[in-house]
Amino acid sequence: QLQLVESGGGSVQPGGSLRLSCAASGSIFDSYAIAWFRQAPGEEREAFLCINYHSIPSRYQDSVKGRFTISRDKAKKMVYLQMNSLTPEDTAVYYCAGRIYDCIDGGRWYQYWGQGTQVTVSS
């Protein structure tokens, strides 16, 4: 079992930055891939970045290229999402999710989910 808790969401102006954290507990964190998903109002939840158990990242949305970075600290059992140059289109609830070993695009492949944290980008 893996428990995940997101933190770091909030409100920010366009062009600003936020760092989200995903804290893991309960299982062998090193064996899990952790993905970040987001769900905007009226839209489906979609993956955009993932980091596998070897700390190799995968990107699933071009819209975050060059702006968002995923990283993990195995000693602290944490995964981070650094978000820069935020735009109103980044407004969503952000979730971290876990599955064993490798990243796959698609929420149905992830067994463990955090509760989500709201990110609002507005002037």
Side-chain angles (χ1 to χ4, degrees):
Q1 296 292 323
L2 187 69
Q3 289 82 44
L4 301 172
V5 178
E6 303 94 339
S7 62
S11 295
V12 63
Q13 292 187 341
S17 298
L18 281 175
R19 189 177 82 154
L20 304 185
S21 299
C22 176
S25 63
S27 189
I28 305 174
F29 175 69
D30 290 4
S31 298
Y32 284 83
I34 303 294
W36 284 99
F37 290 73
R38 62 185 179 181
Q39 186 169 22
E43 298 186 11
E44 293 186 356
R45 187 163 54 185
E46 295 181 329
F48 56 94
L49 282 174
C50 181
I51 191 162
N52 76 357
Y53 74 120
H54 282 317
S55 299
I56 298 172
S58 299
R59 176 172 49 83
Y60 300 119
Q61 288 188 8
D62 286 341
S63 62
V64 305
K65 183 179 180 180
R67 301 189 301 125
F68 291 10
T69 303
I70 190 170
S71 61
R72 72 190 295 166
D73 185 330
K74 290 184 177 181
K76 295 182 178 179
K77 293 188 177 182
M78 297 289 290
V79 171
Y80 303 103
L81 177 66
Q82 179 65 44
M83 303 188 294
N84 299 326
S85 302
L86 285 161
T87 73
E89 288 70 36
D90 296 315
T91 295
V93 179
Y94 284 70
Y95 301 87
C96 62
R99 70 180 306 277
I100 197 74
Y101 298 139
D102 284 313
C103 297
I104 297 178
D105 187 9
R108 67 186 184 277
W109 302 108
Y110 292 79
Q111 291 77 42
Y112 306 103
W113 292 83
Q115 81 288 350
T117 186
Q118 176 71 46
V119 172
T120 302
V121 185
S122 175
S123 56

